């Protein structure tokens, strides 16, 4: 069970502006950058992030890898690769939960206490946001012991509403 002090919050923000121990990147398996939140993180962190990512030799779906944050306010970036939505029968839910769980595990190994997650897989990868939100929240509640604050960083007001409802227990 999470520690009683764990604070979960939903925020409407650009994740690249958040000053926390680590922000999570919704990357692709090459880890060499892309669009969406991945592109924004690489632009804000600067070219050194791409070099650090190149040395990691990619990342499998559901797994997570760590780099410094370089020019970002966040000290570290945890890169995870969400599943591409293929209708829901290809283990997408399990793989999405693994992204959150493995990101938390990696953060814990590095003594990181404050984290921010984007809405992994719900952009280009097409995972329906109303299905992804409860998976994200449940996994973080189950595996968030020991963290001080975990932020669900929403880029749209629609996502913010989903998280606020889920956090309030009404969805
Ligand atoms: N801050 C926070 N959230 C953001 C930001 C931002 N600056 N920009 C976008 N989002 P996506 P995916 C939200 O497509 O679905 C990339 O090309 C966005 O509104 O970034 O996991 C990778 O390289 C959505 O809610 O990631 C992969 O190829 C969420 O971030 C692929 O896209 C995720 O959308 C990964 O697709």
């Amino acid at each position: 069970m999470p520690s009683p002090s764990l604070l979960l919050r939903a925020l409407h923000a650009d994740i690249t502006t958040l000053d926390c121990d680590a922000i999570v990147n919704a990357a692709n398996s090459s880890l060499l950058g892309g669009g969406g939140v991945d592109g924004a993180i690489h632009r804000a962190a600067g070219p050194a992030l791409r070099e650090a990512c190149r040395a990691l030799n990619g990342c499998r779906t559901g797994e997570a890898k760590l780099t410094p944050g370089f020019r970002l306010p966040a000290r570290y970036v945890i890169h995870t690769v969400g599943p591409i939505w293929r209708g829901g029968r290809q283990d997408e839910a399990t793989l999405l939960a693994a992204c959150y769980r493995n990101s938390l595990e990696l953060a814990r190994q590095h003594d990181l206490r404050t984290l921010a997650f984007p809405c992994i897989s719900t952009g280009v990868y097409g995972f329906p946001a109303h299905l992804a939100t409860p998976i994200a929240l449940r996994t973080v509640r189950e595996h968030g012991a020991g963290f001080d604050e975990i932020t669900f960083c929403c880029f749209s007001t629609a996502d913010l509403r989903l998280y606020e409802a889920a956090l309030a227990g009404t969805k």
Side-chain angles (χ1 to χ4, degrees), residues 3-20:
S3 60
S5 61
L6 171 65
L7 180 64
L8 297 180
R9 63 171 185 165
L11 198 65
H12 187 205
D14 174 348
I15 203 166
T16 64
T17 65
L18 299 184
D19 181 2
C20 47

Side-chain angles (χ1 to χ4, degrees), residues 13-15 26-28 33-38 40 119 121-125 153 155 159:
D14 174 348
I15 203 166
N28 58 61
V37 70
D38 193 10
C119 304
S121 279
T122 65
V124 173
Y125 280 0
C153 181
F155 205 51
D159 284 337

Side-chain angles (χ1 to χ4, degrees), residues 27-154:
N28 58 61
S29 55
S30 78
L31 295 186
L32 296 179
V37 70
D38 193 10
I41 287 172
H42 275 268
R43 276 193 301 279
L49 180 61
R50 195 180 155 88
E51 290 316 305
C53 283
R54 195 185 299 283
L56 297 174
N57 291 315
C59 182
R60 291 203 194 94
T61 303
E63 296 187 352
K65 294 195 175 177
L66 186 88
T67 65
F70 298 103
R71 292 183 198 155
L72 289 163
R75 288 164 52 214
Y76 292 93
V77 180
I78 293 174
H79 307 264
T80 188
V81 182
I84 298 171
W85 179 258
R86 293 194 169 91
R89 295 193 180 163
Q90 311 267 338
D91 270 344
E92 294 96 323
T94 307
L95 289 165
L96 185 65
C99 289
Y100 286 91
R101 197 180 61 245
N102 287 323
S103 296
L104 291 166
E105 187 51 41
L106 189 57
R108 188 177 287 111
Q109 286 165 11
H110 290 268
D111 290 325
L112 309 181
R113 307 293 291 265
T114 55
L115 290 187
F117 283 98
C119 304
I120 300 166
S121 279
T122 65
V124 173
Y125 280 0
F127 203 121
H130 71 284
L131 301 179
T133 304
I135 294 169
L137 192 53
R138 189 174 60 244
T139 309
V140 167
R141 281 194 169 128
E142 284 174 6
H143 299 275
F147 291 94
D148 291 339
E149 184 174 70
I150 297 180
T151 300
F152 295 103
C153 181
C154 301

